[in-house]
Amino acid sequence: MINTMQQIVIATRKRGSRDVIEALQDVGVLHLVPVQGSGVLSAGPLTGEDAEFRRESERLLARAETTLTELGAVRRVPGSAPAETQWPALLEEVAGPAAELSRRRQALDGDLDVARTYGPAVKALSELSGGLDRSRRVSLVPFLYQKPEDLGALQAALQGSLDGRFEVATRPLSASGFVGAVATLGIDRDAARAALGKARLGELRLPGRFDGQPISDVDAELSRIQREGASQRDALERERVSLAERFGPTLFAVRDALSDQVAIHDVQGMSARGKYSLVMQGFVPDDRIYGLKSALDRFGDAVSYELHPLDSHHTASVPVELKNTPYSKNFELILGMLPLPRYGNFDPTGIISFFFPLFFGFIIADIGYGLLFFIVGTWFATKAKRGEGVNLAAMNSYLSPDVMGKLGVIIRTMSTWAIFWGFLTGEFFGNLAEHLHIFYVNHAWIQSIWGITVPGEQESGLLPIVFPRLASYFTNTALISTLLIGMAMVLWAWLIRVQLASRHGDKNHLWEAIGMLGGLVGLISLGFLSKGGNQLVNAAIYKDFSSPLLIVMYIGFAVFLLGMIMSRVFLMIIEILSQGGNIISFARLFAVGVAGAILANLATDLGWGLYEKIGILGIIVGVVLALLVHAFALAITIIGHVLQPIRLHFVEFLTPTGYHNESGVPYNPLRRLSPASLSKK
């Protein structure tokens, strides 16, 4: 659910406003918004001494953050900041060495890259030059080429430009190329370069400080870098780590204190200011009002404030904080793919927390796969309890322990539903449990539960299968089951739209939602009357008023027409067909699940067939082969198994509710980063 907010306006003396803002930082519950100044109150950027103080704080904060980045410091243990007057000196003491160290590391890394990239070519050119690279009269123009025929084109271009006043020497550089140099008089250097261009070859230019140096000198320097660079890099790294360990905790503490100081300036800039007063406004959750009042009441008459309840009509700037049960809160991770709902809308986290793992389990419906997912979820949860995250280098991202813990709960819930549905479908790594006669189809059970006559002879086993989704005689029943889920979800979505439109007093959307509800009820009734569309052209079904479904259908379509007229949204005629398609989309739960189950059965049948033909050896080969096929099948289908339930929630369910029409502002209260005692120094 969305936490209920109240608006608050705070007025205080300008002289003591810093203490009030620090108290608000300490309590950490007030979400501030800008105040529009008028009359004797002004708003906007700070001026005078306040502006200068803010610029200095921001400069020091940028200096602290840059230094921490250059040191690569990681916060491991808390540190304490010195007195505020010592911050500039401390930052200068650390920033200079950190910047110099960073510069040296970057320069060395650049030299190492040059040595790796150009070292072989430079060494070959140094051997080719024979000392000519130091000549004052002769110039060397180095180049690279890939095919021997390129050299012929260069020779022709040089002859045409220099008429024999040149020499070309080459040497194989690698399996895929050659290096060469053109020796010519210094005055002909530009002509030689032009000839390279005509032959579509480029001159080899060395980067940075190596450009223009004699090749032999560059070769000597690159050789030295290759010999000593790694040890120099290690020494610089040790120096960096030493600086980070020595100054890191203190720098983090100073950075946090400066962030709090800049936040105070930001609050002052967002407030309306007079000569002697300052006015702030913002929002506070209902369940944290007591803490805010306690923080402000200790200032007595120096602070005045008013709290105002919010209605549902003017909520564009009201921040949104989701408030869910400890279990549902884990699924905010999934809802985080979408913008927050607008205040006054609804929070679908609770719905997603139940139906998303349920739908996933319905698709997988395999005890073996469910157990595998449970192991993965347990691994995530165990890592989170140890405070460990996971670095996903391939995706350039990091899963924090908090995210790992939430994923652990989500995955284990999904796996529990997969195991539950696996017992109903009788699937354990496909049909392995059926081969072992653990699960079997009990004809009497299927007849009594679903009213379906099962063809063939009665099987035997330990546990009866309740939901044989792969059986041809059960296909229609399984498909209708998923469509019934779709009907319930889409109708529920429009009921939510009715509720929201009624709460907001939005008559147009209210009538539209009522009309769509009626139209969907009519369409669903028509679908059952016409037996899935097979008798749509049978006029008799539209006259038999003995059927309650016919009456419901006519009432539904009448409500649809009324809603369309009252809302004046005549495109509802097209939209009702789209919503019918949304219901049919829930057949994905059946189709995607059946496709994955067929692949699982094929994998198991392959291994079982080898066992039956080869015997003991077949068991070993069959198990290995079946596991490989199972892993491949699961790998290529798992994305769809996860994305399809997400899509059904985000598109088919949330779209009718109007969830995507407006987004909310995240609740971001003013909070202190540094210890409260620091501000009193």
Side-chain angles (χ1 to χ4, degrees):
M1 60 177 290
I2 297 176
N3 207 0
T4 307
M5 297 278 175
Q6 288 198 36
Q7 187 176 24
I8 185 170
V9 178
I10 304 170
T12 184
R13 296 175 185 147
K14 191 174 183 180
R15 184 178 58 187
S17 61
R18 183 183 179 92
D19 292 336
V20 176
I21 296 172
E22 288 178 348
L24 293 175
Q25 285 180 318
D26 292 338
V27 72
V29 299
L30 179 62
H31 177 102
L32 285 162
V33 295
V35 181
Q36 299 298 323
S38 61
V40 296
L41 297 178
S42 62
L46 300 176
T47 58
E49 293 183 2
D50 291 336
E52 183 61 31
F53 190 29
R54 173 176 182 154
R55 281 193 293 269
E56 178 63 12
S57 298
E58 289 178 335
R59 184 188 72 81
L60 292 175
L61 177 59
R63 189 78 159 153
E65 289 179 336
T66 301
T67 303
L68 285 168
T69 301
E70 288 173 340
L71 290 178
V74 177
R75 191 196 295 265
R76 291 190 174 92
V77 295
S80 58
E84 184 175 342
T85 55
Q86 299 177 19
W87 295 352
L90 172 67
L91 289 174
E92 290 306 317
E93 178 187 356
V94 186
E100 175 62 20
L101 182 60
S102 178
R103 185 194 64 76
R104 290 165 57 195
R105 291 174 63 208
Q106 289 177 358
L108 180 58
D109 287 342
D111 288 349
L112 288 169
D113 287 340
V114 172
R116 283 191 294 267
T117 305
Y118 296 96
V122 168
K123 182 169 287 296
L125 287 170
S126 178
E127 295 170 355
L128 283 175
S129 67
L132 286 177
D133 57 317
R134 297 181 179 276
S135 173
R136 295 184 178 181
R137 298 185 59 195
V138 177
S139 291
L140 290 181
V141 182
F143 62 92
L144 297 171
Y145 66 101
Q146 300 296 320
K147 298 175 292 185
E149 52 265 32
D150 293 338
L151 188 60
L154 175 61
Q155 293 274 11
L158 289 169
Q159 183 63 32
S161 300
L162 300 178
D163 192 21
R165 299 190 306 277
F166 68 92
E167 287 291 338
V168 177
T170 64
R171 180 166 292 186
L173 181 59
S174 64
S176 59
F178 302 83
V179 64
V182 179
T184 185
L185 295 175
I187 58 175
D188 292 331
R189 182 181 180 89
D190 290 339
R193 286 174 169 172
L196 282 172
K198 290 179 182 178
R200 297 185 177 180
L201 297 175
E203 180 184 1
L204 176 61
R205 299 291 297 270
L206 297 176
R209 66 188 181 93
F210 302 102
D211 188 25
Q213 292 187 29
I215 288 294
S216 55
D217 290 350
V218 175
D219 179 37
E221 178 65 8
L222 292 183
S223 298
R224 183 195 66 79
I225 291 170
Q226 287 175 329
R227 289 194 310 270
E228 304 174 2
S231 60
Q232 290 179 351
R233 187 68 169 75
D234 291 341
L236 291 175
E237 180 64 15
R238 288 193 296 271
E239 190 175 348
R240 180 197 68 79
V241 171
S242 176
L243 275 175
E245 291 178 349
R246 180 183 172 191
F247 293 103
T250 303
L251 281 177
F252 276 114
V254 171
R255 193 276 309 271
D256 291 345
L258 284 167
S259 297
D260 290 337
Q261 200 170 83
V262 170
I264 292 174
H265 303 323
D266 289 339
V267 172
Q268 292 171 337
M270 295 168 63
S271 306
R273 304 178 300 278
K275 187 175 182 180
Y276 303 107
S277 61
L278 182 140
V279 178
M280 297 170 278
Q281 71 172 355
F283 301 92
V284 59
D286 273 354
D287 54 5
R288 269 154 273 180
I289 288 177
Y290 176 78
L292 182 62
K293 284 183 175 181
S294 299
L296 295 177
D297 287 345
R298 66 184 179 88
F299 291 97
D301 295 339
V303 174
S304 297
Y305 60 90
E306 286 186 1
L307 286 160
H308 305 280
L310 296 168
D311 58 35
S312 301
H313 303 293
H314 306 287
T315 58
S317 62
V318 180
V320 173
E321 182 191 39
L322 302 182
K323 184 180 180 181
N324 291 294
T325 64
Y327 164 73
S328 295
K329 201 166 186 63
N330 296 290
F331 289 82
E332 291 177 7
L333 197 65
I334 296 176
L335 191 65
M337 300 181 200
L338 300 175
L340 280 173
R342 183 169 174 172
Y343 188 84
N345 204 320
F346 85 109
D347 173 19
T349 305
I351 298 171
I352 292 174
S353 69
F354 179 77
F355 285 100
F356 170 72
L358 170 63
F359 289 171
F360 175 85
F362 182 83
I363 291 174
I364 293 289
D366 188 291
I367 299 171
Y369 287 167
L371 290 173
L372 292 179
F373 281 113
F374 193 86
I375 293 171
V376 173
T378 302
W379 178 77
F380 272 70
T382 303
K383 295 274 286 184
K385 286 181 180 178
R386 293 200 300 258
E388 300 175 4
V390 172
N391 199 359
L392 302 177
M395 303 175 64
N396 195 26
S397 61
Y398 173 76
L399 297 181
S400 66
D402 179 60
V403 172
M404 292 281 289
K406 292 179 179 179
L407 285 174
V409 173
I410 293 172
I411 294 173
R412 286 197 288 188
T413 308
M414 292 160 59
S415 64
T416 301
W417 278 109
I419 294 170
F420 169 78
W421 282 106
F423 274 102
L424 298 184
T425 60
E427 296 176 25
F428 180 85
F429 291 114
N431 55 5
L432 178 61
E434 287 189 72
H435 283 300
L436 297 173
H437 298 289
I438 296 173
F439 285 105
Y440 74 105
V441 176
N442 187 310
H443 295 198
W445 271 54
I446 299 299
Q447 175 70 36
S448 62
I449 296 173
W450 303 106
I452 298 174
T453 301
V454 180
E457 297 181 1
Q458 174 65 56
E459 302 172 1
S460 61
L462 295 176
L463 300 173
I465 296 174
V466 178
F467 197 84
R469 59 175 175 171
L470 291 181
S472 57
Y473 58 81
F474 196 75
T475 299
N476 287 338
T477 302
L479 181 59
I480 291 173
S481 299
T482 57
L483 292 179
L484 287 173
I485 295 173
M487 295 172 196
M489 293 291 287
V490 174
L491 289 173
W492 186 10
W494 282 106
L495 281 171
I496 292 173
R497 186 63 173 268
V498 169
Q499 179 190 13
L500 293 174
S502 177
R503 182 195 304 170
H504 297 158
D506 188 344
K507 293 184 178 179
N508 284 341
H509 282 119
L510 176 62
W511 278 111
E512 179 189 6
I514 291 173
M516 291 300 297
L517 270 174
L520 285 171
V521 170
L523 273 182
I524 293 169
S525 301
L526 178 60
F528 280 105
L529 280 171
S530 62
K531 301 187 183 303
N534 291 326
Q535 297 184 23
L536 275 176
V537 295
N538 183 1
I541 66 173
Y542 303 107
K543 301 175 182 178
D544 183 12
F545 284 94
S546 62
S547 171
L549 281 177
L550 185 63
I551 299 173
V552 172
M553 182 192 76
Y554 282 128
I555 293 175
F557 285 142
V559 172
F560 173 76
L561 291 174
L562 177 63
M564 183 173 60
I565 294 170
M566 295 299 293
S567 66
R568 299 180 182 178
V569 181
F570 298 105
L571 290 178
M572 284 173 59
I573 295 177
I574 299 175
E575 180 65 17
I576 190 66
L577 299 178
S578 173
Q579 292 302 308
N582 284 350
I583 292 175
I584 296 175
S585 288
F586 279 80
R588 300 167 187 268
L589 297 174
F590 167 72
V592 175
V594 165
I598 290 173
L599 287 176
N601 281 4
L602 289 175
T604 298
D605 286 342
L606 179 63
W608 193 266
L610 288 172
Y611 154 68
E612 290 182 329
K613 288 189 176 182
I614 306 178
I616 300 299
L617 179 62
I619 294 177
I620 300 173
V621 177
V623 168
V624 173
L625 195 58
L627 288 176
L628 290 175
V629 178
H630 273 296
F632 174 75
L634 191 59
I636 64 174
T637 58
I638 187 60
I639 294 178
H641 295 346
V642 174
L643 289 184
Q644 292 304 334
I646 290 178
R647 176 206 157 88
L648 291 174
H649 283 89
F650 286 3
V651 179
E652 277 75 8
F653 179 72
L654 288 182
T655 299
T657 67
Y659 181 93
H660 303 295
N661 295 347
E662 297 173 318
S663 59
V665 179
Y667 171 63
N668 184 26
L670 179 68
R671 287 195 178 103
R672 178 179 296 283
L673 298 178
S674 59
S677 59
L678 186 63
S679 64
K680 311 305 178 187
K681 290 184 179 181

